[in-house]
Amino acid sequence: MTGISKLALLAAAVMIAQQAVAAEVHVLNWKGYGADEPWAVAAFEKATGNKVVNDFFNSEQEMLTKLRTNPGLYDVVMINAAFNDQATTEGLIQPIDVSGIANYKDLGPEKAQSPLLNHDGKIYGVPWVWGLTSIAVNDKAFDKTPTSIQVMWDEAHKGRVVLRDDALEAIQFGAIATGQDINDIKDMEVVKAKLASLMPQIRTFWGAENDWNQMVAANQIDVGTYWSGSAGRAKKNFKLPVTFVVPEEGAVGWLDAFSIPAGSKNVDGALAFIDYMIDPAFYVEWDNKVGAPVSANVKAVAELPADAFNRAVMGDPEVASRIRFQAPVSDADRERYLQIWQELKVNVQ
Amino acid sequence: MNGNSTLAAHRSQGMKAAQLLFPAYLWLVLAVFLPLSAMVFFSFVTEMPFTGKPWSMTVANYAAFFTTGIYAKLLLSSLRLAFEVTFWCVVLGFPAAYVLAKVLKGRSREAIFLLVILPFWSNGLVRVFSWAMVLRSGGILDTLLNAVLPFKVDIDLIYSYPAVIIGLVHSYVPYIVLTCYLSLQAIDDSVIEAARSLGASRFTVLRRLIIPLSLPGIVAGAVLVFVPVIGSFMEPRILGGRTGTFYGTVIEDQFVAVFNWPLGAALSFILLAVVLFILAAASPVMRRSA
């Protein structure tokens, strides 16, 4: 073989390899959270010719570490809005040109313009879905669905209450129960005392959605902290007697958004994937088949059936007024919350 | 001349030994020593070096153990848990080992032996989750007892301290049975017969002969149970509910939930130091029994 033909072959091989890389969209998200639904991946691949490669994380810290240690590997990453600021400051994600996302104009403006996702006039996150962390009840234990968070402290349900084993959630829950701002807790001693008085009520601490559902299925618990999307799935997918409550004291809101990591090799593919994720067609199918949180796309929510929880309850302006969205939490606060939470758990013995 | 040849013989023997030792020690260096020394290093830094954040050397992670009382308190409750589990393992395991070694013979011994080691063949997580099904109210034990008994009992042990003890004893009792079996089997039957013919009661035989002679097995088994139970985290987390916070679960939290490897590593090495101290304190007993 002559030198020139060798070179040509090499060039061809490089071009093929580049093409193969360019056609892949590497997505980093929680497992079982929409982006990895097989029917959705198949539909997206068929429509755009991009191949989706899913990777998963088990905690926000792990997600950030994966971004730090694999620059250039991922094209799309799902980041909770409270962590967007940290990812932007560390230079892990890049500004997004939303002119490439057709559905962007249909997003709720207060979500799209959230200061959590926008820095220096640039967009670092496309809001995807949002939901609440609040309480849910086992319908078998209540004739009338409670409206106050204080039901967790009710002696009648002693030993049948669950709380998630998560410092941030527990402390913010305590803040709501004591009438404080979750993003600016002034009196931590009151929160501590309130949570300490909750401990004797607790049956166990739950970790994952499955724990919660199993305990309701076995009729072991009456009430506990839960996520709105999970409660929807429990009711729809697993036919469990679960009702999600947005108590009068308020609820913690969270917003999940898609970002594009710095150094992404396939920004066009990433934009197409994000566009598909906020598309009404995908969302309606996701909520119907599996059960999803509330879409940030106003049109997508409007296409749900009128009695759907995500449209009827979560779309109610009166409910919306009770929601307090989570702001970023500093590392120092996180460590302080963990220490308080560990102390509370240790002293229960 | 003679001296030279023995030296050569020694040398070649040493070479042979080195050849045989090399694979095992290479493996130990790679699989134990390197990760462990990495952990020692991590326990002295402020941030994990590979996260890209600035980091420096510190002893703050070790100081954290002493500045708040909660870690010491947790370590004490883990030690108490380990003592109780070891105690119940010996109480349940020793008689079983005695029956296996001295009473049963032939096929029946094989069958019972198989039943003892059977739990080893299943995954630990599966065992713990099956206990969760048995112990909860409306679970297998509850339903079974209420079907048999004329009066109503409410068995609801799940998410409690006893549930953790039950799960751990079940997981670790085979160690005691196996080690006690070996040392009991080594006792010559004729020694026991001689003691009986000289008028010793069964209890005296047990107290003066069998227990002292099988002590090495009991101690070895107890160490095998005690050490992993102090650091256990899976059983307390699944079976313990709100009472399931122990030293091991807090270490797990540092690694899995909050990504604070430095603190997790420091807590682990403090545990290692405490375990080594306890074993050193117990070594006179062990040496006498060995």
Side-chain angles (χ1 to χ4, degrees):
Chain A
M1 204 183 280
T2 65
I4 291 173
S5 68
K6 252 189 207 169
L7 255 174
L9 209 70
L10 196 72
V14 167
M15 270 162 67
I16 290 167
Q18 266 177 345
Q19 224 168 17
V21 170
E24 279 183 354
V25 181
H26 289 253
V27 181
L28 185 60
N29 190 5
W30 299 96
K31 196 169 170 60
Y33 195 37
D36 59 339
E37 292 293 333
W39 51 268
V41 169
F44 173 75
E45 288 179 349
K46 199 165 164 244
T48 65
N50 285 290
K51 192 178 153 20
V52 177
V53 183
N54 274 297
D55 193 8
F56 308 106
F57 56 82
N58 293 303
S59 68
E60 268 95 5
Q61 297 305 327
E62 190 187 341
M63 177 266 297
L64 292 171
T65 304
K66 281 193 163 177
L67 290 182
R68 289 182 197 119
T69 49
N70 303 295
L73 175 62
Y74 301 107
D75 302 302
V76 177
V77 59
M78 204 295 295
I79 305 181
N80 181 286
F83 284 85
N84 188 287
D85 186 48
Q86 191 182 349
T88 306
T89 316
E90 284 189 36
L92 299 172
I93 52 179
Q94 55 175 298
I96 303 167
D97 176 15
V98 294
S99 63
I101 302 176
N103 286 311
Y104 190 83
K105 60 177 190 326
D106 299 327
L107 296 174
E110 75 293 344
K111 305 241 161 32
Q113 285 150 27
S114 163
L116 298 175
L117 302 175
N118 296 273
H119 310 285
D120 307 326
K122 290 184 188 129
I123 299 163
Y124 283 89
V126 177
W128 178 37
V129 287
W130 64 277
L132 299 179
T133 302
S134 184
I135 57 173
V137 297
N138 175 356
D139 293 338
K140 284 187 189 158
F142 294 91
D143 295 327
K144 199 168 157 288
T145 306
T147 56
S148 167
I149 210 168
Q150 306 300 340
V151 66
M152 297 270 287
W153 280 264
D154 187 346
E155 280 281 336
H157 304 289
K158 191 174 174 131
R160 295 180 65 84
V161 175
V162 285
L163 197 62
R164 180 150 180 262
D165 191 0
D166 180 282
L168 183 64
E169 265 190 41
I171 300 286
Q172 293 192 334
F173 178 75
I176 287 184
T178 54
Q180 299 195 63
D181 181 353
I182 58 161
N183 294 325
D184 184 20
I185 302 171
K186 293 267 194 289
D187 194 346
M188 192 55 94
E189 287 307 313
V190 177
V191 172
K192 245 195 252 185
K194 186 74 176 165
L195 288 175
S197 69
L198 180 62
M199 287 297 165
Q201 296 278 104
I202 300 286
R203 171 87 184 194
T204 186
F205 303 110
W206 64 280
E209 206 173 300
N210 186 43
D211 302 347
W212 212 101
N213 292 347
Q214 295 241 329
M215 285 186 283
V216 169
N219 200 21
Q220 289 179 295
I221 57 167
D222 293 347
V223 59
T225 55
Y226 210 19
W227 301 318
S228 57
S230 305
R233 267 191 291 282
K235 205 171 178 129
K236 184 172 282 169
N237 246 11
F238 304 109
K239 313 274 179 264
L240 292 170
V242 174
T243 301
F244 191 77
V245 179
V246 187
E248 55 213 24
E249 289 88 350
V252 178
W254 45 263
L255 176 62
D256 280 342
F258 280 115
S259 299
I260 302 180
S264 157
K265 295 193 191 75
N266 186 5
V267 174
D268 289 340
L271 291 172
F273 187 78
I274 295 171
D275 194 33
Y276 177 68
M277 279 287 119
I278 58 173
D279 193 82
F282 162 75
Y283 177 68
V284 171
E285 194 169 357
W286 184 25
D287 196 38
N288 277 339
K289 271 190 181 155
V290 194
V294 193
S295 177
N297 185 336
V298 181
K299 277 195 182 159
V301 176
E303 282 185 28
L304 291 177
D307 63 337
F309 176 80
N310 283 340
R311 186 174 159 190
V313 180
M314 303 290 271
D316 183 349
E318 194 277 318
V319 169
S321 69
R322 277 181 268 156
I323 298 169
R324 185 86 177 113
F325 275 88
Q326 227 171 26
V329 181
S330 70
D331 281 351
D333 272 346
R334 253 172 222 288
E335 267 167 40
R336 196 162 61 104
Y337 291 175
L338 180 71
Q339 208 173 8
I340 294 170
W341 178 233
Q342 280 180 341
E343 257 170 58
L344 283 166
K345 284 203 300 179
V346 170
N347 289 328
V348 84
Q349 286 181 338
Chain B
M1 193 65 198
N2 200 12
N4 262 354
S5 74
T6 47
L7 200 69
H10 262 292
R11 197 173 291 157
S12 78
Q13 220 171 12
M15 283 295 290
K16 263 185 211 151
Q19 277 172 11
L20 291 173
L21 285 174
F22 182 72
Y25 273 82
L26 181 73
W27 172 247
L28 284 177
V29 167
L30 286 178
V32 180
F33 187 68
L34 282 182
L36 213 58
S37 23
M39 277 295 155
V40 173
F41 171 69
F42 289 152
S43 72
F44 285 105
V45 297
T46 50
E47 288 280 346
M48 288 302 283
F50 61 74
T51 58
K53 286 192 198 162
W55 58 277
S56 58
M57 303 299 283
T58 177
V59 290
N61 300 313
Y62 288 92
F65 181 88
F66 300 99
T67 47
T68 65
I70 61 168
Y71 298 120
K73 196 172 167 186
L74 279 171
L75 189 54
L76 280 180
S77 57
S78 282
L79 284 171
R80 181 183 142 213
L81 177 75
F83 275 117
E84 284 182 28
V85 170
T86 311
F87 172 77
W88 286 112
C89 280
V90 171
V91 166
L92 293 174
F94 187 79
Y98 181 80
V99 171
L100 272 172
K102 292 292 171 205
V103 180
L104 296 174
K105 298 273 182 278
R107 278 317 259 291
S108 53
R109 177 195 281 181
E110 278 173 30
I112 298 292
F113 207 89
L114 194 71
L115 286 179
V116 171
I117 55 172
L118 203 61
F120 276 147
W121 297 352
S122 64
N123 180 290
L125 206 58
V126 173
R127 274 178 276 162
V128 173
F129 271 111
S130 38
W131 272 115
M133 284 197 306
V134 171
L135 295 174
R136 70 177 162 81
S137 80
I140 296 168
L141 189 64
D142 195 27
T143 315
L144 203 71
L145 282 179
N146 279 316
V148 177
L149 293 173
F151 50 89
K152 174 102 176 82
V153 286
D154 192 14
I155 303 287
D156 187 14
L157 283 170
I158 188 75
Y159 307 133
S160 66
Y161 187 71
V164 180
I165 300 271
I166 290 172
L168 284 167
V169 167
H170 172 233
S171 294
Y172 288 101
V173 82
Y175 290 100
I176 298 272
V177 176
L178 292 177
T179 54
C180 290
Y181 170 79
L182 289 176
S183 58
L184 282 167
Q185 218 193 14
I187 301 172
D188 196 339
D189 281 346
S190 53
V191 179
I192 298 169
E193 279 158 22
R196 293 286 289 158
S197 71
L198 289 171
S201 70
R202 280 180 179 279
F203 181 70
T204 311
V205 170
L206 179 73
R207 193 170 58 87
R208 300 282 301 275
L209 266 181
I210 296 174
I211 290 185
L213 284 174
S214 63
L215 204 56
I218 298 175
V219 172
V223 170
L224 280 180
V225 174
F226 185 78
V227 173
V229 168
I230 300 184
S232 63
F233 57 89
M234 178 183 73
E235 294 88 350
R237 195 177 284 282
I238 296 170
L239 298 172
R242 71 188 175 93
T243 59
T245 308
F246 287 95
Y247 198 73
T249 58
V250 168
I251 293 178
E252 190 208 3
D253 276 342
Q254 300 302 332
F255 280 96
V256 179
V258 291
F259 216 73
N260 193 347
W261 285 31
L263 182 58
L267 292 177
S268 305
F269 284 110
I270 290 170
L271 175 64
L272 184 64
V274 170
V275 168
L276 288 178
F277 178 78
I278 292 172
L279 292 184
S283 74
V285 184
M286 287 197 260
R287 211 172 304 136
R288 211 176 324 131
S289 68

